[in-house]
Amino acid sequence: MRSGLKTQKAIDEVSLHKVDTSIYLAKIYVEFTPISDIISPPFSSKLSKTLLINAYTRIGKLGILDSLFRKVKPKPLLVSPVFYMSSKSPRFMFKTEPNVPQPLILREGQTYGFTLTIIGQLNLTSLLDAISPGLELPLFTSRVVIRNLSVEVKNFESFKLTGDYVKFSFKTPVLLQFPKGWVRVKVPPRHSLLPIPCFLIWSLAEHWNAYAPSHLKISNVKKLAAYSNYALVEVDYSLRPVTVIYDERRRPRGFIGWVIYEHRKLSPKLSRQLSRLLEYANYVGVGRSRSIGFGIVDVETLKPIR
């Protein structure tokens, strides 16, 4: 996972107005250890959300979360599934078909984590009160100890990922929807099992425009999405479709894996917009249902490929 700013430094930056406190993004990394084994729901972001609710309930400030969970699209709060920390590469925990019989279990004494991304205004001091290292919190039939918490604060002005090659690593299943309004007839929802650039960028641009300052909003999302098909050229990939067990009834189908694109700078203005969105993806993901942990992606630049 990415290393963030020191927690207190991030809080100070917000309180001292070194970042725009009206529109900013905070990504919080939480690590915890179960005191005893915990059986997780098949898609473990439900566990992350429950722990968050229990933490804010403890300090009597559940109303802060209620404002973030409100029914708006896109939501200003994104909660990841739990990931397993005791390995070389953190692995998100979710069940896919046909692996139904074995439950997901968080083991006593092991280290796990999850991330929160919050956009807008947030009292980071209350967050530290709710989830601070050393706290013991209830979680389902067990309890967990918070081991570490770090916060990374980003201003919308600072988003920029430059390089001639970029790698998208899709960490949780991506539900990449065809844009609505492309045809003037009533059509059912349609998803792609391939990370076609225009669908990725359309998804990111619409999310960006919901929260970015007015002078940074993308004026023509359709044009940028179409441009991305020529600017982001596939070089290599390893992808596979997965059917996710979300609950007793729902089985969304998406994809995981990675793709390397060559980023061709065909237009200075549109390339700058793409560069912002490429880094933005690291914080908000891509596709549908990002607020509950689908579509988590790690986007990084690579050295020139020979």
Side-chain angles (χ1 to χ4, degrees):
M1 307 302 292
R2 283 178 168 73
S3 59
L5 298 172
K6 296 288 187 181
T7 300
Q8 190 58 51
K9 181 180 178 183
I11 292 172
D12 291 343
E13 287 204 1
V14 173
S15 62
L16 293 175
H17 299 273
K18 293 179 183 177
V19 296
D20 181 358
T21 55
S22 62
I23 306 174
Y24 71 92
L25 180 151
K27 188 166 186 176
I28 299 98
Y29 303 80
V30 182
E31 296 178 19
F32 65 92
T33 301
I35 292 177
S36 60
D37 288 358
I38 301 173
I39 297 177
S40 170
F43 199 78
S44 64
S45 64
K46 293 182 180 180
L47 188 149
S48 307
K49 183 177 178 179
T50 300
L51 182 56
L52 188 62
I53 290 171
N54 291 347
Y56 274 88
T57 299
R58 184 188 68 84
I59 63 172
K61 294 185 178 180
L62 193 57
I64 293 176
L65 283 185
D66 289 341
S67 65
L68 296 171
F69 285 135
R70 66 187 187 274
K71 292 184 178 181
V72 296
K73 290 185 179 181
K75 285 184 170 59
L77 174 65
L78 296 86
V79 183
S80 84
V82 171
F83 51 82
Y84 182 47
M85 293 289 297
S86 301
S87 61
K88 293 181 179 179
S89 178
R91 185 180 74 251
F92 288 97
M93 300 178 66
F94 53 88
K95 296 285 292 179
T96 59
E97 289 185 336
N99 303 319
V100 179
Q102 295 292 333
L104 287 180
I105 300 177
L106 279 64
R107 296 297 182 182
E108 172 187 350
Q110 299 291 329
T111 302
Y112 300 88
F114 65 94
T115 64
L116 313 169
T117 297
I118 303 173
I119 307 172
Q121 292 183 344
L122 177 70
N123 185 337
L124 293 180
T125 302
S126 70
L127 173 71
L128 190 58
D129 290 340
I131 313 177
S132 59
L135 275 178
E136 185 176 309
L137 296 169
L139 184 59
F140 297 159
T141 59
S142 181
R143 300 182 72 82
V144 301
V145 177
I146 304 300
R147 295 299 183 193
N148 193 24
L149 181 142
S150 62
V151 181
E152 182 180 3
V153 174
K154 293 284 290 185
N155 187 295
F156 274 79
E157 300 275 0
S158 67
F159 284 106
K160 185 179 182 182
L161 189 71
T162 58
D164 293 332
Y165 293 89
V166 292
K167 181 178 181 181
F168 278 67
S169 298
F170 304 104
K171 301 296 187 179
T172 62
V174 179
L175 310 179
L176 194 58
Q177 191 170 23
F178 278 50
K180 296 179 180 178
W182 274 20
V183 293
R184 295 185 178 182
V185 295
K186 188 174 181 179
V187 292
R190 166 80 160 87
H191 293 83
S192 174
L193 291 178
L194 296 171
I196 299 171
C198 65
F199 297 158
L200 293 173
I201 298 307
W202 185 289
S203 167
L204 286 165
E206 288 206 322
H207 198 289
W208 172 275
N209 278 353
Y211 294 104
S214 57
H215 68 284
L216 290 178
K217 290 186 186 296
I218 296 166
S219 59
N220 192 332
V221 171
K222 190 172 183 179
K223 179 180 179 180
L224 182 63
Y227 167 79
S228 71
N229 283 331
Y230 301 91
L232 297 176
V233 180
E234 298 85 353
V235 175
D236 199 1
Y237 66 92
S238 175
L239 298 165
R240 66 183 178 94
V242 291
T243 300
V244 181
I245 303 171
Y246 184 73
D247 54 23
E248 295 82 1
R249 179 178 57 86
R250 285 174 285 186
R251 299 290 188 273
R253 188 161 173 80
F255 62 86
I256 56 175
W258 56 265
V259 179
I260 297 173
Y261 298 97
E262 180 184 358
H263 184 186
R264 297 177 177 175
K265 316 302 193 298
L266 308 175
S267 161
K269 178 182 177 180
L270 296 178
S271 291
R272 285 194 298 271
Q273 292 178 343
L274 273 186
S275 294
R276 292 191 187 110
L277 296 183
L278 291 176
E279 188 181 11
Y280 189 63
N282 285 317
Y283 298 87
V284 304
V286 294
R288 286 184 53 225
S289 301
R290 285 176 277 193
S291 65
I292 56 174
F294 286 89
I296 293 176
V297 63
D298 184 12
V299 184
E300 60 183 333
T301 58
L302 299 178
K303 294 180 180 180
I305 298 173
R306 298 184 185 277

